């Protein structure tokens, strides 16, 4: 019973991927409702909120405890979700999305911290793997569920679901979860300490390369999430439900690579796998451009080559994370994880913002992804060289 209860508590981490992906099928209707061609900004402001909050939740959880910070985060998230449901203009929607991100960010960071508190070292790997598995399957489920909700209730349906999800977990954490931290760190939130930690990390060349490569990969992933519904529903005229199924199949690449990556790491170094992932980003984008030049643009000339690009992102995500954390001094691994996530989501925010600035076609989108992929290769090579240099000088 206790294990089932802890699983329920740790599953709070599903809020973030659901909040990011469930409404994608509603993009076309939302654009019409709010009379804007920049509806992708709802994803941009969400990424900005997630990125900014990453830097602060870790220290706050260590200073004040897991439960109070998580409860506050869920209150912010739920309030913002309510604001979104009753949004009457685009600016109100964007403000709601920003605070929704600020609130939901607490769920993933807190879940990982609670797992470290509760499980012994030999069981922690299993617990973290469970959290990653929960998070990893959500991108396949959320768009499909969102498509069904869009068909039944319109764009409000997805955000009503997110609101109810927030209320449910607020009740779970408030009444069923007991504080897990044994000793609070009274110095965790000192600004100078935080500044020194982040500055020292940014001086490590391999760390620089890994976080920048991850930022590029997140830029590709969230750009595709933002562009796909506009292209598949708006340009190719597929139904909302068909889009959900197509996007779910694309997300299976993430699940497949999460299984393959640990096995590949036994034969290849982390830096080699990161560089391979970046190469897959470029390969998928290049094939998309070529297919759309040779043939008339259609669902196959977009989705099939972009599946290769998704494989590249899925290879970069776990390997770049492992590379960044392993290159950081042990006593500031928490800060390293926070800075890694900050840069990743910032990359997603910048890419989705830039994507709203030009007319959406398959070739335009693929060219955009190609540029990001080439930047990812440069950053991955920087990580590889930095890692090799650090091994020599160690």
């Amino acid at each position: 019973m206790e294990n089932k209860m802890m699983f329920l508590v740790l599953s709070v981490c599903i809020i973030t991927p659901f909040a990011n992906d469930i409404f994608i099928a509603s993009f076309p209707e939302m654009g019409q409702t709010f009379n804007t061609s920049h509806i992708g900004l709802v994803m941009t402001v969400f990424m900005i909120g997630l990125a900014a909050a990453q830097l602060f939740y870790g220290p706050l959880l260590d200073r004040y405890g897991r439960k109070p910070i998580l409860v506050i985060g869920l209150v912010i998230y739920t309030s913002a979700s309510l604001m979104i449901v009753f949004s009457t203009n685009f600016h109100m929607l964007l403000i709601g999305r920003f605070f929704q991100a600020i609130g939901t960010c607490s769920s993933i960071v807190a879940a990982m911290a609670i797992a470290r508190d509760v499980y012994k070292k030999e069981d922690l790997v299993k617990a973290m793997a469970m959290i990653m598995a929960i998070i990893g399957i959500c991108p396949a489920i959320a768009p499909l569920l969102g498509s069904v909700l869009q068909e039944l209730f319109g764009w409000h349906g997805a955000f009503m679901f997110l609101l109810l999800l927030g209320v449910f977990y607020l009740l779970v954490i408030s009444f069923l979860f007991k504080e897990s931290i044994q000793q609070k760190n009274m110095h965790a939130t000192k600004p100078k300490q935080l500044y020194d930690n982040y500055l020292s990390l940014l001086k490590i060349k391999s760390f620089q390369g890994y976080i920048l490569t991850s930022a590029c990969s997140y830029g590709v992933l969230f750009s595709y999430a933002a562009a796909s519904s506009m292209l598949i529903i708006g340009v190719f005229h597929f139904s909302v439900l068909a889009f959900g199924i197509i996007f779910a199949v694309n997300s299976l690449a993430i699940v497949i690579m999460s299984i393959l990556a640990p096995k590949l790491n036994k034969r290849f170094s982390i830096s080699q796998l990161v560089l391979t992932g970046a190469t897959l980003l470029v390969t998928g984008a290049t094939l998309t451009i070529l297919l759309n030049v040779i043939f008339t643009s259609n669902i196959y000339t977009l989705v099939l080559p972009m599946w290769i690009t998704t494989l590249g992102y899925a290879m970069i995500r776990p390997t770049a994370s492992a590379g960044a954390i392993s290159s950081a001094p042990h006593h500031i691994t928490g800060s390293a994880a926070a800075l890694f996530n900050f840069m990743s989501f910032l990359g997603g925010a910048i890419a989705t913002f830039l994507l709203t600035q030009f007319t959406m076609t398959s070739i335009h989108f693929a060219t955009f992804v190609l540029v990001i992929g080439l930047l990812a290769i440069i950053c991955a090579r920087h990580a590889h060289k930095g890692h090799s240099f650090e091994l020599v000088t160690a």
Side-chain angles (χ1 to χ4, degrees):
M1 182 65 182
E2 186 176 337
N3 286 335
K4 291 181 180 179
M5 188 61 65
M6 185 50 59
F7 176 83
L8 180 61
V9 169
L10 294 179
S11 70
V12 70
C13 64
I14 71 171
I15 293 179
T16 298
F18 266 95
N20 190 64
D21 293 329
I22 196 171
F23 65 93
I24 293 172
S26 300
F27 265 16
E29 185 192 335
M30 291 173 70
Q32 294 175 0
T33 300
F34 293 100
N35 192 28
T36 178
S37 59
H38 301 305
I39 194 63
L41 290 176
V42 299
M43 188 169 282
T44 301
V45 296
F46 190 81
M47 293 294 104
I48 292 172
L50 277 178
Q54 290 286 337
L55 298 176
F56 302 104
Y57 269 120
L60 288 172
L61 287 163
D62 289 340
R63 172 64 180 82
Y64 297 104
R66 316 314 190 196
K67 184 170 182 175
I69 299 302
L70 182 52
V71 168
I72 290 171
L74 289 171
V75 168
I76 295 171
Y77 164 82
T78 305
S79 302
S81 299
L82 188 64
M83 179 181 180
I84 292 170
V85 169
F86 290 101
S87 292
T88 56
N89 58 70
F90 192 46
H91 290 99
M92 186 175 177
L93 176 68
L94 293 180
I95 293 170
R97 282 290 288 170
F98 176 77
F99 283 102
Q100 193 180 47
I102 294 292
T104 190
C105 184
S106 66
S107 63
I108 289 182
V109 183
M112 293 181 176
I114 291 168
R116 287 197 299 269
D117 295 339
V118 172
Y119 293 101
K120 296 178 181 178
K121 187 175 181 180
E122 56 269 22
D123 297 321
L124 181 58
V125 174
K126 294 181 181 179
M128 296 300 282
M130 179 181 69
I131 292 173
M132 290 298 108
I134 293 171
I135 295 172
I137 199 65
C138 286
I141 298 173
L144 186 57
L145 175 59
S147 298
V148 174
L149 293 172
Q150 171 63 29
E151 289 277 13
L152 295 174
F153 307 108
W155 74 268
H156 288 91
F159 291 101
M160 279 298 300
F161 175 84
L162 293 177
L163 172 61
L164 294 174
L165 195 64
V167 171
F168 171 75
Y169 278 108
L170 183 57
L171 293 173
V172 168
I173 300 301
S174 297
F175 297 106
L176 300 180
F177 172 59
K178 294 182 180 179
E179 179 59 66
S180 60
I181 193 171
Q182 297 297 317
Q183 186 175 0
K184 297 173 184 177
N185 182 357
M186 299 303 175
H187 304 290
T189 54
K190 286 188 175 181
K192 188 178 185 307
Q193 185 66 53
L194 292 175
Y195 174 79
D196 289 343
N197 288 349
Y198 292 138
L199 185 62
S200 64
L201 287 167
L202 290 174
K203 292 179 180 179
I204 303 172
K205 288 188 175 182
S206 59
F207 186 83
Q208 295 170 2
Y210 287 128
I211 64 174
L212 290 173
T213 307
S214 179
C216 291
S217 72
Y218 270 60
V220 169
L221 176 73
F222 292 119
S223 293
Y224 185 50
S228 58
S229 64
M230 306 301 291
L231 290 170
I232 295 172
I233 298 173
V235 177
F236 301 139
H237 305 295
F238 278 72
S239 70
V240 171
L241 187 58
F243 165 76
I245 296 171
I246 292 168
F247 199 86
V249 171
N250 180 77
S251 298
L252 288 177
I254 298 174
V255 178
I256 292 171
M257 190 53 70
S258 68
I259 298 171
L260 292 178
K263 297 178 180 180
L264 290 171
N265 194 30
K266 293 179 180 179
R267 296 190 61 183
F268 304 99
S269 69
I270 287 175
S271 59
Q272 288 175 323
L273 292 176
V274 172
L275 184 57
T276 302
T279 304
L280 287 173
L281 298 181
V282 171
T283 302
T286 302
L287 283 174
T288 305
I289 294 171
L290 291 175
L291 289 174
N292 282 278
V293 168
I294 297 171
F295 304 101
T296 302
S297 293
N298 59 68
I299 187 69
Y300 302 107
T301 60
L302 173 69
V303 172
L304 293 180
M306 285 307 297
W307 203 79
I308 298 173
T309 299
T310 306
L311 278 175
Y313 157 78
M315 179 175 282
I316 291 171
R317 184 172 72 164
T319 53
S321 174
I325 299 304
S326 62
S327 64
H330 182 72
H331 66 285
I332 54 172
T333 52
S335 296
L339 189 55
F340 177 87
N341 289 331
F342 167 78
M343 285 300 301
S344 297
F345 287 117
L346 184 62
I350 293 172
T352 52
F353 171 74
L354 293 175
L355 194 67
T356 64
Q357 305 305 306
F358 54 83
T359 305
M360 188 60 62
T361 67
S362 294
I363 293 178
H364 288 167
F365 169 67
T367 303
F368 181 71
V369 172
L370 177 60
V371 172
I372 299 177
L374 290 172
L375 288 174
I377 287 180
I378 293 171
C379 296
R381 288 181 61 83
H382 181 73
H384 180 71
K385 290 179 181 179
H387 184 72
S388 299
F389 176 76
E390 287 150 18
L391 287 176
V392 171
T393 56

